[in-house]
Amino acid sequence: MNVLATLGASAVLTAFAASLFAVGASVYGHRAGRPAALLAGRRALLATALLATFAIGTLAYALLVNDFSVAHVASVSSRDMEPQMKWAALYSGQPGSLLFWTWSMSLFMAAFVAVTVPKIPWGGAHAVATCGVVLASFLFALAFLASPFDVSPVTPDDGIGLNPLLVDPGMLVHPPFLLTGLVSTSIPFVLGAAALMAGKVDGAWIRHARSWALLSFLVLGVGNLLGAWWAYTVLGWGGYWGWDPVENSAILPLFPMTAFLHALLVQERRGMLKLWNLVLVLAAFALAVFGTFNVRSGLVASVHSFAQSEVGPYFLVLLGLVIAASVGLLAWRSPILRADADLDSLASRESGLIVNSYILVAITLVVLGGTLFPVFSELFQDVRITVGPPFFNQVVGPLLIALLATLAVGTVLPWRQAATSTLVRRLRGPAVLLLATWVLFAALGMRDPFALATVGLAAVIGFVTLREFAIGARGLRRATGAGWPAATARLFSRDQRRYGGYLVHVGVAVIAVAVVVSTVYQETARVSLAPGESVEAGGYTFTYERLLQRSPGVNGIETEVLAEVTVTRDGRQVGTLEPGRRFFENFPSQPTGIVALDGSLTRDLYLFIQGWDSNEVVELQVFINPLIAWLWIGGAIFVVGGIVAFWPQAQPARVTAEAPEGAQRA
């Protein structure tokens, strides 16, 4: 008997039982009015998280000690693998990633039970029961369909090792953030479902869902940014987002969650969009489950997906149940989901927020439709037709520009309505700046309409954001006498959500400029070069010197072959780059590329080689990618803004004053 496998499998089974107990105890406690049963249900979810933690700790230990009798360990690890890469191996295979997903979800739900459930007596029992059902659904798959603790019939002397594409330090951060972000959509889903079951669809559930939605938005955003960075630095195709079906599945939940964060402001201020907000949080979780199904079903081809297995159909059924339950709850409570007010004016901030959420949902539908188009084309025409980046760029591009326009205009519009003179005064400056930016960049040679529109709107977003900060800081200076830096910094403590959100908008604008410019103005060259020969691209000269070879001897890497390339510009040496290919001992037919990068604030020099012949003639591919650095800078601004908006706001301390001597107490 394998002790580690037995302990891990037992922990998963016990966690499954504990999650079912949480459901039963919560339902019974609510119906019978037994507080002790409700408390037992909450504690059962905490126990589930502890058991899931024990299970993942057991698997991590099996990887560290090279216990190849465990099938998952033998399939993703090897003796020469560095310890930190064994952490990446934990979630690289299908059973391990499912365990990591379920463990992360159990931690989120344990935190939710400890922090939020005591504050929602109107729906605590419903929330705990929903958490238990969701956790049990994933634990069932872990226990009976894709256990990471299955024992190999024959214990090999060594494991196979990681998939070559995953042997990269980026795997230590990208998958954990992305999986955790997808899992985090479950908490707003639970709150929305609890509000519907309890019939409390007013602002109460929104207040508690806001922080969890912000956290989900932040972690999902970081996960997708890290995914773009990993694709750019590892996959070796010159880009960072290829509209791969699994990439699409990862970003899909982010759109409705972002829409919810905008639409909830309208419900808080005006009592509108009750139905819409619930649809958004339910859809975000359904799309996260869809991503789980998509990765594990073999439905679409992707470098990121696992092989087809019996887990895929199970998650298809689970996805159907999530959608059916969501639609059923919405239909049941539809009579109480009417808005408390109507729009007073189309030229209002609430109109901008509503349009913003509609555009984000439109992007969601386009990306989802394009991802599933091959499936439907095969179903109805018996021919699998795949849509690629040109389709997504041409359809999502205009929607992105419309989104930037709503961010720019919505920031300056007032709530409810405003006089025409006020609107003209607020919009005059941004309109002049927009036209001036278009004229300036057109004069500098920018002719692409997408690029012009994006750069102009990004400039307007920056302008209106700075103006909002200036107006707020000026008011604080008048009230407190503080200097400009202190007054500006104090804005974040006074209204973190608002000013953190403004930073996120600036980050999105910077990212949009980097994406559009790097896509439209990318320069490429693909040539075969013998040692000593050169190629010119983007004003640079790339001279191939020689081939180099090295043997790292770790992580299954057998050899690395590198091409030494000297880069010059106007006769001055810029640097030496070494693109290459990496070969693996257990995967001889799966070499991977080694990307060579030289980056600056204005451009990236991006090189990789496809191969070489016996005369050391290499096939070199060169990309000149403009403004890529600003993609990561915009991402950093996005993350900082998200952290500011999410960070718990300090509550003013209460001071107890002593009553004057002789005063009577009430």
Side-chain angles (χ1 to χ4, degrees):
M1 181 183 72
N2 186 301
V3 176
L4 287 178
T6 302
L7 287 173
S10 299
V12 171
L13 275 172
T14 310
F16 174 62
S19 62
L20 291 178
F21 177 83
V23 177
S26 299
V27 172
Y28 170 73
H30 175 68
R31 288 186 171 273
R34 298 292 183 89
L38 296 175
L39 180 61
R42 288 157 56 181
R43 288 177 174 172
L45 282 185
L46 299 177
T48 302
L50 289 174
L51 289 163
T53 301
F54 180 81
I56 201 167
T58 302
L59 185 60
Y61 181 75
L63 284 160
L64 285 173
V65 300
N66 297 320
D67 187 352
F68 299 120
S69 64
V70 178
H72 177 71
V73 175
S75 67
V76 298
S77 184
S78 60
R79 294 187 184 278
D80 69 348
M81 188 174 292
E82 296 173 303
Q84 67 270 23
M85 293 309 298
K86 291 186 177 183
W87 170 248
L90 187 148
Y91 43 74
S92 64
Q94 181 164 250
S97 72
L98 189 56
L99 176 59
F100 187 91
W101 171 290
T102 309
W103 171 63
S104 300
M105 180 180 288
S106 71
L107 294 183
F108 268 100
M109 291 184 173
F112 171 70
V113 164
V115 175
T116 304
V117 168
K119 301 175 183 177
I120 53 170
W122 48 264
H126 303 88
V128 172
T130 306
C131 286
V133 169
V134 173
L135 269 176
S137 301
F138 285 89
L139 286 164
F140 177 86
L142 263 181
F144 302 108
L145 301 178
S147 174
F149 299 104
D150 286 342
V151 178
S152 303
V154 177
T155 301
D157 293 331
D158 199 357
I160 297 174
L162 266 178
N163 181 313
L165 279 176
L166 307 183
V167 180
D168 182 80
M171 289 301 296
L172 300 175
V173 289
H174 160 47
F177 268 99
L178 194 54
L179 290 171
T180 302
L182 292 169
V183 162
S184 66
T185 61
S186 62
I187 304 302
F189 168 83
V190 165
L191 274 165
L196 285 167
M197 286 186 282
K200 301 291 185 180
V201 294
D202 53 9
W205 82 273
I206 287 285
R207 286 191 294 274
H208 295 289
R210 181 197 307 126
S211 296
W212 292 104
L214 274 169
L215 179 60
S216 179
F217 164 82
L218 178 60
V219 181
L220 263 176
V222 171
N224 279 281
L225 284 168
L226 289 172
W229 167 75
W230 176 78
Y232 185 66
T233 58
V234 173
L235 294 185
W237 56 277
Y240 40 82
W241 196 268
W243 296 108
D244 177 272
V246 174
E247 289 178 348
N248 295 348
S249 298
I251 202 172
L252 276 172
L254 181 61
F255 297 132
M257 193 60 70
T258 307
F260 171 68
L261 287 171
H262 289 82
L264 69 82
L265 297 173
V266 180
Q267 183 170 345
E268 284 182 328
R269 292 287 293 260
R270 302 297 312 281
M272 301 164 59
L273 303 184
K274 294 179 182 178
L275 173 62
W276 184 239
N277 279 320
L278 287 162
V279 168
L280 291 173
V281 295
L282 298 178
F285 180 65
L287 287 169
V289 177
F290 166 76
T292 305
F293 159 70
N294 198 17
V295 171
R296 292 168 171 82
S297 65
L299 184 69
V300 291
S302 168
V303 298
H304 307 279
S305 61
F306 300 115
Q308 185 173 358
S309 72
E310 60 185 355
V311 179
Y314 173 80
F315 279 109
L316 178 60
V317 173
L318 180 59
L319 174 61
L321 291 174
V322 169
I323 294 173
S326 300
V327 172
L329 285 171
L330 291 170
W332 176 37
R333 293 300 189 186
S334 59
I336 61 173
L337 292 174
R338 297 187 180 91
D340 297 337
D342 294 321
L343 282 175
D344 295 316
S345 170
L346 291 177
S348 62
R349 181 161 296 189
E350 49 265 49
S351 295
L353 292 168
I354 292 170
V355 172
N356 176 288
S357 69
Y358 287 171
I359 293 172
L360 286 165
V361 170
I363 294 174
T364 305
L365 294 175
V366 168
V367 175
L368 180 62
T371 302
L372 291 177
F373 187 81
V375 179
F376 289 115
S377 67
E378 186 174 29
L379 182 64
F380 293 109
Q381 298 184 0
D382 202 27
V383 177
R384 180 168 282 251
I385 303 173
T386 302
V387 295
F391 165 80
F392 289 105
N393 292 339
Q394 291 170 14
V395 180
V396 176
L399 291 172
L400 173 64
I401 291 172
L403 183 65
L404 293 176
T406 61
L407 291 181
V409 175
T411 301
V412 302
L413 290 176
W415 288 97
R416 299 180 71 94
Q417 59 184 350
T420 303
S421 58
T422 302
L423 292 175
V424 170
R425 186 179 71 253
R426 291 190 177 192
L427 293 172
R428 182 171 51 218
V432 171
L433 176 62
L434 180 64
L435 292 174
T437 304
W438 284 346
V439 171
L440 172 63
F441 279 89
L444 292 174
M446 183 177 284
R447 294 291 184 268
D448 186 86
F450 279 142
L452 280 171
T454 303
V455 170
L457 289 170
V460 172
I461 290 172
F463 170 75
V464 297
T465 302
L466 286 174
R467 188 169 69 178
E468 289 295 312
F469 274 96
I471 292 171
R474 184 176 60 194
L476 279 178
R477 288 188 74 229
R478 290 174 178 172
T480 64
W484 279 104
T488 303
R490 196 174 297 178
L491 290 175
F492 292 105
S493 62
R494 290 175 63 90
D495 196 342
Q496 292 175 219
R497 278 199 299 151
R498 179 183 179 185
Y499 292 100
Y502 286 157
L503 286 181
V504 172
H505 290 176
V506 172
V508 169
V510 173
I511 290 171
V513 170
V515 167
V516 171
V517 172
S518 65
T519 301
V520 172
Y521 296 103
Q522 182 187 65
E523 296 183 52
T524 65
R526 184 170 181 172
V527 293
S528 294
L529 299 176
E533 293 183 336
S534 303
V535 62
E536 292 191 4
Y540 294 87
T541 301
F542 301 87
T543 303
Y544 164 50
E545 306 290 352
R546 56 176 177 156
L547 279 182
L548 306 171
Q549 184 171 319
R550 62 191 181 199
S551 301
V554 295
N555 299 326
I557 303 171
E558 186 175 16
T559 57
E560 292 178 343
V561 179
L562 307 168
E564 183 179 313
V565 179
T566 302
V567 185
T568 58
R569 183 181 178 92
D570 299 327
R572 180 176 56 85
Q573 183 168 334
V574 175
T576 300
L577 299 178
E578 295 182 346
R581 305 287 285 175
R582 182 175 289 141
F583 297 87
F584 292 80
E585 184 175 352
N586 291 334
F587 300 88
S589 61
Q590 297 184 46
T592 61
I594 300 174
V595 173
L597 277 168
D598 181 86
S600 71
L601 289 177
T602 57
R603 57 84 187 125
D604 273 11
L605 306 180
Y606 184 106
L607 277 65
F608 67 92
I609 58 175
Q610 298 285 3
W612 56 90
D613 63 16
S614 57
N615 296 318
E616 296 192 355
V617 175
V618 301
E619 186 176 355
L620 178 69
Q621 190 146 358
V622 178
F623 290 86
I624 313 296
N625 295 326
L627 300 189
I628 288 293
W630 290 94
L631 175 61
W632 317 126
I633 292 171
I637 298 171
F638 174 98
V639 172
V640 170
I643 292 173
V644 169
F646 167 74
W647 202 259
Q649 191 160 356
Q651 298 296 323
R654 294 185 177 182
V655 179
T656 303
E658 292 292 333
E661 188 175 350
Q664 293 184 352
R665 295 184 181 271

